[in-house]
Every structure is written in structure tokens, then in C-alpha cells.
């Protein structure tokens, strides 16, 4: 087998969830494990988050919730978007907690929920300014009336989502909280007993106490990554993923000789170039090498050279005595050095979420239990 895999540190997930719980208490923690746990493996992360006291899990898709149920995970799993009418049966069969935001969604859910089982738990999502999904503040009252009028449904929560919570000085987050509070009042929910209110992702949970309400939906922080540079250090978090490979080939390149497609890097002096069997088909972006991308080998940083190819990339090892089989770390720590998802994101002009989610299915995840 190719010596390329991602170690998933389950102890780190448990510690992160425990610290996040302590940070937002008495609000509860919802662990967001959509997109295969942000590329870390949803089932293992979900189990660890539950053990560490996450009250709720959340996924984006019905099929993601079904995967968790098939793995034997019980307890509440919240869908973060409204399923299509065609997906309602599967959502009900897996007992996923619904998010709804249209009257059609309520109708489709009620049809499926009239099955003699317990009423189906529903959260209504209200849009307070992000303009992705959700009913408007004015529509919330009607949504609540429709759900309340349907005995097969039970209104459990009302939530919203913030657009700029990771930018601490942007006043729009407060505006969204104001709109959320007003929507709750207008819908007559101000004093509804047991209603679960939630308005926040990791950035809100870390840095906006007003938005913690009853529950915080933590995604990226569970994986030990801060939502933005500004929020790094708000809570001590341990990175969960270490992306590893091993040198598969070493050769000496003479001065002036080019490396990889396009020969876009040329050796200035004789140097040892090592090949690492991981490429853009695994989620290492093709131009990372052209934007200063580095790896760790023998405990030091070495630059990627030439463009990243589909299955392999090259590193300039200088005069390090690198040999076939030597460990290479692309994300994570080796010796005293560490490459963070944040660092890679900065080079690629993106956010660390995209860096970890991009690690493809061809890279096995090795679950490292504490
Ligand atoms: C993905 C997602 C989250 C988690 O966001 P993070 O920034 O990763 O904490 C929370 N809520 C909703 C609606 C989401 O889609």
C-alpha cells in the first residue's frame, strides 16, 4: 500500500470538545461532522465528540446522517438544511432532527411523519442576513404556526447563522443577533418553554458570548483549527489531523535541470530531490509548490519544487541525507516543527476549512485512539 495516510487523533477531538464545552457553558455543544467530519472521518469524530459530552451532532445531508446511524451512532443528529421532499422518508427512518424553512418543507415533513411514531423534532431556521437559506424574520411566525398545527411535528428549536462572526470588529454580527431576538419575539416564542435557541458556529462560540444562547454549533474548532487568524488562541485547541507520507524515490538533480510538468523549477546547484507519493488527486493543490508550500522531513522544513502532479510531488532536500522510506509530514508536527492547515490556507488564499476538506477519499484515515 502507498505510505500516505492521515492520522486522526481522537484524544485531540475529545480534548477540544471538552474545552469548548467549558468555554461556552451553560450553553451546550453541537459537534458539526458534515463533509465526513471536515475530511477527518465523520463516524470516529462523532463518537469521540459524544463521549466528550457533545449534546448534539450536526450534518449537512441526509446521507451523512444515515451514515452515522448505520455506524450505530444514536442520540440526536441535526440536519443543517431542509431535505428535499424526496429525501424526507430517509430522514425520518434515520430519525434525523429536521431543519425546515419553507411551508412546502413543513408539508413534506408532516406527510412522512404521520406514521404513528413519536412526533418528529423540528428546528426552524431563520435568515438574519447571511442570505443563504432560512425563512425571513417575517415568515418565522407562519412557520411556527404551521409546525405547531401539525401533531406529527414538534418544534424543538429556532436557529440562525452568522456571516461575519470570524471578523471580530464587524458590527454586523450584533445586527444579526438583534434580528434573531426580534424574530423570536415577533413569532411569539419569547417565553416558549424548552425551545432550543442557537445562532452560532465556532467563531460565535469562541468570541461572541451573546450568541451562545442554548447551544453552539462547533465545526472547525472541534478539529483543532481556529476559524480565522483573529480567533487563534481564543481557546487552546489541538489539531486533529496529521497528513503523512514517505519518500518513494530520491535522485540528484544537476544545476539548470528542471523538475515536474512545465519544468517550472530549476535547480541552482546540484541537489537531492525526493519524491513524495501524494498529489492533487489527494487534495494537495497543484500550485501549492509554486506558492511556497513546504513539508517536514528529518524534522525540518523543505520546499516543494515544480508543480504538484496528480499522484506525486517533489521536494528539494538540499544535502539532507534523505532516503526512500523517510517520513514526510504535509500537515501536522514532526520533531519540533509544525505545518498548520492555517499556514497552507494562507499560501493558497483560502481558509483552513478548505484545506482539510480537500484531503481526498484516496487517503486512508488512520484513527488513533487515546
Ligand atoms: C458548517 C456549519 C457550522 C459549523 O461552522 P464552523 O465555522 O465550522 O464552526 C455551523 N452551522 C451551520 C449552519 C453550518 O453550515
Amino acid at each position: 500500500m502507498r505510505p500516505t495516510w492521515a492520522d486522526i487523533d481522537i484524544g485531540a477531538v475529545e480534548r477540544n470538545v471538552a474545552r469548548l464545552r467549558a468555554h461556552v457553558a451553560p450553553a451546550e455543544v453541537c459537534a458539526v461532522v458534515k463533509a465526513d467530519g471536515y475530511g477527518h472521518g465523520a463516524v470516529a469524530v462523532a463518537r469521540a465528540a459524544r463521549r466528550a459530552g457533545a449534546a448534539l451532532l450536526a450534518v449537512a445531508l441526509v446521507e451523512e446522517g444515515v451514515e452515522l446511524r448505520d455506524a450505530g451512532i444514536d442520540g440526536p443528529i441535526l440536519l443543517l438544511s431542509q431535505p428535499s421532499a424526496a429525501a424526507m422518508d430517509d430522514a425520518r427512518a434515520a430519525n434525523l432532527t429536521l431543519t425546515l424553512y419553507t411551508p412546502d418543507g413543513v408539508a413534506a415533513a408532516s406527510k412522512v411523519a404521520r406514521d404513528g411514531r413519536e412526533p418528529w423534532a423540528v428546528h426552524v431556521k431563520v435568515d438574519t442576513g447571511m442570505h443563504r437559506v432560512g425563512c425571513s424574520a417575517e415568515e418565522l411566525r407562519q412557520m411556527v404556526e404551521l409546525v405547531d398545527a401539525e401533531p406529527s411535528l414538534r418544534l424543538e428549536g429556532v436557529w440562525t447563522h452568522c456571516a461575519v462572526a470570524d471578523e471580530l470588529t464587524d458590527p454586523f454580527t450584533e445586527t444579526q443577533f438583534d434580528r434573531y431576538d426580534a424574530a423570536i419575539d415577533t413569532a411569539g416564542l419569547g417565553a416558549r418553554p424548552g425551545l432550543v435557541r442557537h445562532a452560532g458556529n465556532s467563531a460565535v462560540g469562541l468570541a461572541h458570548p451573546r450568541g451562545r444562547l442554548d447551544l453552539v454549533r462547533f465545526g472547525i474548532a472541534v478539529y483543532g483549527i481556529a476559524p480565522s487568524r483573529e480567533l487563534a488562541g481564543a481557546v487552546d485547541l489541538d489539531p486533529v489531523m496529521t497528513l503523512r507520507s514517505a519518500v518513494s524515490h530520491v535522485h540528484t538533480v544537476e544545476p539548470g535541470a528542471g523538475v515536474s510538468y512545465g519544468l517550472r523549477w530549476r535547480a541552482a546547484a546540484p541537489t537531492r530531490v525526493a519524491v513524495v507519493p501524494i498529489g492533487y488527486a489527494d487534495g494537495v493543490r497543484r500550485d501549492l509548490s509554486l506558492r511556497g508550500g513546504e513539508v517536514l522531513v528529518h524534522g525540518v522544513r523543505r520546499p516543494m519544487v515544480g508543480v504538484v502532479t496528480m499522484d506525486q510531488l517533489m521536494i528539494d532536500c538540499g544535502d539532507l541525507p534523505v532516503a526512500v522510506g523517510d517520513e514526510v509530514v504535509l500537515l501536522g508536527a514532526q520533531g519540533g516543527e509544525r505545518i498548520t492547515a492555517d499556514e497552507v490556507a494562507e499560501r493558497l488564499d483560502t481558509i483552513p476549512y478548505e484545506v482539510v476538506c480537500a484531503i481526498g477519499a484516496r487517503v486512508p484515515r488512520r484513527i488513533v485512539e487515546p
Side-chain angles (χ1 to χ4, degrees):
M1 296 251 284
R2 178 174 70 148
T4 295
W5 72 91
D7 278 333
I8 304 302
D9 182 350
I10 292 304
V13 174
E14 294 177 355
R15 291 192 295 279
N16 293 339
V17 169
R19 290 171 190 152
L20 295 168
R21 284 182 68 201
H23 188 69
V24 302
E28 298 272 13
V29 164
C30 167
V32 180
V33 297
K34 61 190 175 185
D36 200 23
Y38 290 44
H40 292 66
V43 169
V45 171
R47 285 203 184 104
R50 268 274 151 69
R51 276 201 299 276
L56 193 67
L57 300 168
V59 294
L61 312 179
V62 172
E63 47 270 48
E64 292 174 338
V66 170
E67 185 199 355
L68 298 180
R69 292 292 189 231
D70 286 349
I73 292 173
D74 51 19
I77 300 175
L78 175 68
L79 282 168
L80 294 171
S81 23
Q82 177 176 296
S84 68
M88 286 290 179
D89 273 318
D90 289 329
R92 176 68 167 166
N95 194 21
L96 307 178
T97 301
L98 279 177
T99 284
L100 298 176
Y101 33 77
T102 69
D104 285 351
V106 177
S110 350
K111 225 163 118 190
V112 168
R114 289 176 199 143
D115 56 6
R117 291 167 51 200
E118 295 265 285
W120 199 353
V122 170
H123 291 220
V124 174
K125 160 90 191 283
V126 56
D127 182 5
T128 55
M130 166 129 169
H131 299 126
R132 184 169 62 178
V133 294
C135 65
S136 69
E138 298 70 45
E139 290 162 343
L140 180 61
R141 173 184 274 279
Q142 186 207 0
M143 283 297 293
V144 169
E145 284 168 2
L146 288 173
V147 173
D148 281 347
E150 176 51 60
S152 66
L153 303 179
R154 176 173 63 82
L155 182 68
E156 180 180 271
V158 174
W159 64 275
T160 194
H161 192 52
C162 292
V164 292
D166 57 333
E167 299 166 45
L168 288 183
T169 53
D170 194 319
F172 192 63
T173 302
E174 286 295 314
T175 304
Q176 289 198 266
F177 295 155
D178 291 342
R179 289 178 183 173
Y180 177 81
D181 289 346
I184 291 278
D185 280 345
T186 310
L189 294 171
R192 169 104 37 141
L195 185 75
V196 182
R197 296 159 207 222
H198 48 121
N201 55 4
S202 295
V204 168
L206 291 175
H208 298 273
R210 182 181 165 194
R212 287 175 193 154
L213 305 177
D214 300 316
L215 180 82
V216 178
R217 304 180 307 269
F218 280 109
I220 198 76
V222 167
Y223 307 95
I225 300 170
S228 66
R229 276 271 155 108
E230 275 183 80
L231 289 168
V235 169
D236 193 23
L237 298 170
D238 296 332
V240 171
M241 182 189 291
T242 302
L243 180 59
R244 298 180 197 282
S245 189
V247 171
S248 60
H249 186 69
V250 184
H251 51 96
T252 299
V253 173
E254 295 304 327
V259 167
S260 195
Y261 291 116
L263 305 176
R264 291 172 71 170
W265 179 84
R266 287 181 190 274
T271 191
R272 285 166 76 73
V273 168
V275 179
V276 186
I278 184 169
Y280 63 74
D282 302 298
V284 179
R285 268 257 297 272
R286 179 171 178 272
D287 58 348
L288 180 57
S289 53
L290 307 177
R291 294 163 167 259
E294 294 178 329
V295 303
L296 303 178
V297 59
H298 289 211
V300 297
R301 288 173 175 267
R302 295 306 307 174
M304 298 176 181
V305 292
V307 292
V308 174
T309 71
M310 189 182 290
D311 318 301
Q312 307 177 81
L313 58 83
M314 273 63 81
I315 58 176
D316 177 11
C317 294
D319 51 16
L320 277 185
V322 165
V324 170
D326 289 355
E327 183 194 69
V328 176
V329 168
L330 294 103
L331 275 181
Q334 189 195 58
E337 276 285 353
R338 177 180 285 283
I339 292 178
T340 63
D342 199 52
E343 166 191 332
V344 175
E346 194 135 296
R347 292 191 196 287
L348 295 173
D349 247 322
T350 182
I351 52 175
Y353 298 67
E354 194 181 355
V355 172
V356 286
C357 285
I359 305 305
R362 200 170 68 164
V363 177
R365 272 62 171 175
R366 207 186 71 178
I367 303 305
V368 184
E369 294 287 348

